Every structure is written in C-alpha cells, then in structure tokens.
C-alpha cells in the first residue's frame, strides 16, 4: 500500500531533550516536506526537500533540522525542544515538485513539550 | 508575501444544504490552488485542484473555480452529506513552497 508513515504518533517530552520524528514514504517520491498544524494558524511549512541531499527552509524553520540521506526518509530533528514547539506535525511527499503533483500526507505526530 | 485566507469556521449545516467556503490568495507568481480535506484523526487528503486561471477543479460533488481577477478559489457543494463533516483547507503552491489557510471546520447534521 502506498503510504507515508510517521513515528511516533504521540510523544510527550521535556524541554531540551533532543528528539527525532521519522518520516518514510514508499512511493519513490522526490519531494518531501514537514508541516506543523496549530489552532487558528492552519498548516505551516517547516522544511522541504526536493531530492536526496537537497533541503530548504519553509516558513517556520527555527528550532528544527532535517536531513535527506535516502530518498524514502526525511526525519525531523528537534535539537532542544521548547514548549512553543508543542504541535501536530505532518510529513508529506509528492512525486516531484510541481503544481500537478498531489501531496500525500502522513497520519500526523502529536508532540507535547513540557 | 504569499498567503491564503479562508473563511473562519466552524460551519454547521443541515444535510442537503448548499455549502460555500471562501478562499482568497496572495501570490507573487501564478500559483496552483488546492483544497484539502482532513477527517478526524487523519492526515490531509487532496480534494481537488486547479493549476491555471479559469480552471475548475471537481471531485465528490465539490467544485472550485480558479478566479484570477478576484484571486479566489471558493469551495462549493450543492448538497452536503453527514459524511462531508471534516476540516477543509485551501492551499496554494508557488515555486517550491506550499501555503495553507487556517482551515474551516464543517459539521453536517442529519
């Protein structure tokens, strides 16, 4: 089944404790992206990747890191999480960046930073 | 900068009522426009899209027309069903980035 998977689905952590949220897709997609969803703010793009070893900042990259060493994986790293990073996070992928390419979303990761 | 503004919710309708959710955009170039739907506890799914002015996207009875003159992409459905209850997001794609609206929650009551 074609899908985007994220792990973990739920995470409660404390300020300053490094964490990684994994994202993997099995569709051989070139483009991958991370979003955060907050009430009243909708989805905001954190980082995106056009292909392996090619990443770029979205609208809200502060406090986050990403890497794209393999085509299928795009982990999101929070080196020193803070309470303002408490949010619902979505990973998405598409075959290639372009207006005709649908983005497929993962199920989401709900992160709470105490 | 580029952005999307959509109608505030929540919206509550009776089954078979007409639905309109307004969406306007600002963009430096010529964006593609999308409507995504999010059911409870799930990720977003593409509902429909339009890639150029005057294009009409349609799917599952929903429609939206890309209006360049009014920079709008309003979502409509003639007769909503209980199963349409979800959160709807308008989005635009300019260059390599996507911009989403804040989402409109729709509840359809029998």
């Amino acid at each position: 089944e074609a899908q985007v998977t994220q792990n973990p689905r739920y995470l409660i952590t404390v300020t300053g404790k490094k964490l990684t949220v994994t994202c993997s897709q099995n569709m051989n997609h070139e483009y991958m992206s991370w979003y955060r969803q907050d009430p009243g703010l909708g989805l905001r793009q954190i980082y995106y990747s056009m292909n392996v070893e090619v990443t770029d900042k979205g609208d809200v990259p502060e406090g986050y890191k990403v890497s794209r060493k393999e085509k299928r994986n795009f982990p999101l790293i929070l080196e020193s999480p803070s309470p303002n990073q408490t949010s619902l996070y979505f990973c998405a992928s598409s075959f290639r960046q372009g207006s005709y390419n649908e983005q497929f979303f993962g199920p989401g990761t709900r992160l709470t930073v105490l | 900068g580029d952005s999307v503004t959509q109608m505030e919710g929540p919206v509550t309708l009776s089954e078979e009522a007409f639905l309109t959710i307004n969406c306007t955009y600002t963009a430096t170039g010529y964006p593609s426009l999308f409507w995504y739907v999010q059911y409870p506890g799930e990720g977003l799914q593409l509902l429909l899209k339009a890639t150029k002015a005057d294009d009409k996207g349609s799917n599952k009875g929903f429609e939206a027309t890309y209006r360049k003159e009014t920079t709008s992409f309003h979502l409509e459905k003639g007769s909503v069903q209980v199963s349409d209850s979800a959160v709807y997001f308008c989005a635009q794609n300019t260059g390599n980035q996507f911009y989403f609206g804040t989402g409109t929650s729709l509840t359809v009551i029998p």
Side-chain angles (χ1 to χ4, degrees):
Chain A
E1 179 190 355
Q3 59 183 351
V4 178
T5 57
Q6 296 178 226
N7 282 293
R9 293 289 312 279
Y10 302 90
L11 179 60
I12 300 174
T13 189
V14 295
T15 299
K17 186 176 182 181
K18 181 179 179 180
L19 66 92
T20 299
V21 183
T22 64
C23 172
S24 183
Q25 49 91 6
N26 63 0
M27 296 170 280
N28 201 35
H29 284 172
E30 290 185 357
Y31 184 90
M32 297 186 74
S33 182
W34 275 103
Y35 298 87
R36 60 178 290 175
Q37 182 180 10
D38 301 291
L41 297 175
L43 272 77
R44 293 177 292 168
Q45 196 167 30
I46 302 171
Y47 269 95
Y48 61 92
S49 170
M50 302 286 285
N51 212 325
V52 175
E53 302 290 4
V54 182
T55 63
D56 210 344
K57 297 176 181 178
D59 265 358
V60 288
E62 294 78 21
Y64 304 94
K65 287 176 57 178
V66 293
S67 68
R68 187 91 182 274
K69 293 184 170 56
E70 304 166 286
K71 198 171 187 179
R72 63 183 295 127
N73 296 323
F74 191 46
L76 180 69
I77 303 156
L78 284 72
E79 296 266 0
S80 184
S82 62
N84 64 13
Q85 293 179 297
T86 293
S87 187
L88 179 59
Y89 291 86
F90 288 101
C91 181
S93 72
S94 63
F95 177 63
R96 188 171 291 139
Q97 173 55 7
S99 58
Y100 44 87
N101 285 297
E102 173 185 355
Q103 283 198 92
F104 292 84
F105 282 79
T109 295
R110 187 165 292 282
L111 172 65
T112 301
V113 183
L114 302 174
Chain B
D2 295 356
S3 65
V4 172
T5 302
Q6 69 180 95
M7 188 171 103
E8 294 284 335
V11 174
T12 302
L13 295 173
S14 298
E15 206 165 23
E16 298 184 3
F18 185 85
L19 169 71
T20 300
I21 301 177
N22 291 337
C23 171
T24 57
Y25 67 90
T26 58
T28 50
Y30 299 96
S32 295
L33 303 174
F34 307 82
W35 277 101
Y36 281 84
V37 59
Q38 183 180 34
Y39 298 102
E42 298 183 10
L44 280 70
Q45 304 172 28
L46 179 66
L47 181 59
L48 54 84
K49 68 182 181 186
T51 59
K52 60 183 187 298
D54 299 325
D55 266 3
K56 177 186 282 188
S58 61
N59 186 24
K60 300 181 182 180
F62 291 89
E63 292 183 341
T65 301
Y66 190 144
R67 301 285 188 201
K68 186 179 174 185
E69 63 276 12
T70 55
T71 63
S72 64
F73 193 55
H74 304 322
L75 182 68
E76 297 182 336
K77 186 175 186 182
S79 177
V80 294
Q81 306 300 312
V82 172
S83 57
D84 293 328
S85 297
V87 180
Y88 293 82
F89 290 91
C90 185
Q92 64 149 308
N93 168 221
T94 307
N96 298 328
Q97 289 191 244
F98 280 82
Y99 300 90
F100 284 79
T102 54
T104 301
S105 175
L106 169 67
T107 301
V108 180
I109 54 178

